[in-house]
Amino acid sequence: MILETSIEFLKNIGTERAKLIKNVLGISTVEDLLTFYPLRYIDKSKIYKVGDLTKEPESDVQFKGKITDLQEVVYEKGKRLSAKFRDETGTMDLVWFRYTNWMKEAIPLNKELFIFGKVNLFNSYFSMPHPEIEADEKKALSGTLLPIYPGSEKLTKRGITNKLFQTAIFNLLRDLPNLISENLPDYLLKSMKLMDRLNAYYNIHFPKDLKHYDEANRRLKFEEAFFFQLGYGLKKLHQKTKSFGNPFPIVGDYFNHFYENHLPFELTNAQKRVLKEIRTDMKRSTQMNRLLQGDVGSGKTMVALLTMLIAMDNGFQSCLMAPTEILAQQHFNSIQELLENTDIKVRLLTGSSKTRERRIIHEQLENGELSILIGTHALLEDKVKFQNLGLAIIDEQHRFGVAQRAKLWAKNNIPPHILVMTATPIPRTLAMSFYSDLDVSVIDELPVGRKPIITAHRREKDRLSVYNFCREEIEKGRQIYFVYPLIEESETLDYKNLMEGLDHVMNFFKSYNVTMVHGRMKPAEKDANMQYFASGEAKIMVATTVIEVGVNVPNASVMVIESAERFGLSQLHQLRGRVGRGAEQSYCILMTDEKLSKESRTRIKTMVQTNDGFKISEVDMELRGPGDILGTQQSGVIDFKKLNLIEDSAIIKASKLTVEKILEQDSLLNHPHNQIIKQYYIKQYKGKNKWSQIS
Ligand code: ADP
Ligand code: MG
């Protein structure tokens, strides 16, 4: 009960301050306050050695040594002061960005003293900005580890200081130790070597030393990961027992005939492995729910087709749903081409399908004549009824919500097997934890013979040489994309940029055909222009991100992305995936402004350095946080306080294994020694997650 009371009743806080704290930091209850973890600590209890540093310390720390080589560095926009600090084990940099002449002269050189502050690591070199300097050893070594809470200037100005948080939390822990009750059973604490919960709260706020801090930190992270995994584990159990599926026991003529006579290339080992995983799922009489991750160009379409052939062999229909008309059309074209010399019929249904075509589709779906239907979300309409839908494949997961997935389920009495394909690789740890309701298959290998795309960063001043390079490529027979950002808030402005870009390009490349696609065009016009480019008649395509997914013109070898700093990482990666699809060396040129924010610079640098979609998604997640990556609708579920989905993959794995083991033996958590988990879980998660029923 006390945990849920407002902090306004705590000493020194009161109504006014409570309101402000809530607005700025989102803290309203005692429990919120206890889980308001320090950002870092001040450690004046010991003296560190420069040579012992291997990473940035968690707290501000202290060194003993000498300051030397003080100098003022003047540059375009200002000046800074820099110096070296040496102890008997090593050297690091000291820097001051703000200082007065008086300060500069007061810095004692070549004298034994103490410096204190935050250590930064950059390019494997350590530095300390604005160190505190102290000559008196007694003063230097006073104090223990003290918490620094993430606050804001706004709060400090109104008297809500770090000290206030320190005291309030300290008092709570001292006066009401019973507030923090254990939520993990003894046997787990022992086997996982975890600190008990009360101790962990103490040591996360007021660590006895760094070792205690580490243990507290590990305990709290484990706890978060554990209950998260438990939620998913329970949900999955629930789902497995509930959702029957149609077993597909055989692989028959459709599959075998195609595989032996019409497969245009040898499957990669990854494609084979993934197919086997899918096949094993579909053999069972439970519904398949599988996520197929594969970087752009890894060959997901072929896996989709072969899976649909298995459905046919078992007498079932399949559908493939794509998020855009262009993409649906592309899938349709490539699948139709692959099936050219077979008697298997495929049809396409989108928002712009003609009435007559729709009627045929509806009819053939219901009488079972049509086995494979490809389309956009037009497939979800109630009018679209299947005779026996056995498999639904969804491409590009991110654009479809969970609700839409559910709509597909309902298209058959026994829900169809579901295969979700995504080219936006989600970091492995995130996929593993977040999608524990889906099984994950990964195509982690590209078809042989692909040359990695060469990516370069260029600025406005290089434009002429970029254009000249493009011309050379066209003369070699290649084709070029120019992509412009189109972001909704400033659509009109972007549109203007696009048109100016088109002008520019047409002016420079006078002797070549240029075409364009953008979101404001009618589908028919878009298709015609795409076709003009795909056929090779147009050498240059000027486009917005509508070409982001799925477009496949193997002869296009250069992608120029304009204002690349305005694109997100996964978007850049998707766009880049439009080239590098043929045998030729391909290039991606990222054009940006002269000045870039730190984040933009990281994005561009990452793109230049790697083609690996998984690495890119990890950087992306560090920059944006997992919530943004998964979409707002899902972000609340993974709102972790301590857990970091990238750094803590070992803890996540351990918690997942632990949960699996517990649920295997005691799926309803009825065993007495699991009561403590069950009670906490019910109390904590009831209402927050609709799947939380333990029946
Ligand atoms: P994505 O995974 O991005 O959807 P696609 O299925 O569009 O990739 O495949 C990209 C290209 O690679 C296509 O032209 C396809 O025909 C080709 N491809 C797929 N699998 C193989 C393979 N095993 N060997 C050679 N080429 C392949
Ligand atoms: Mg694809």
Side-chain angles (χ1 to χ4, degrees), residues 300-301 327 331 395-396 550 581:
K300 294 184 292 295
T301 313
L327 188 51
H331 274 307
D395 197 9
E396 303 299 341
R581 306 196 138 226

Side-chain angles (χ1 to χ4, degrees), residues 19 50 56 269 299 366 453-454 564 618:
K19 228 186 246 162
V50 176
E56 289 180 6
N269 286 328
E366 288 191 58
I453 301 163
I454 295 172
E618 290 190 358

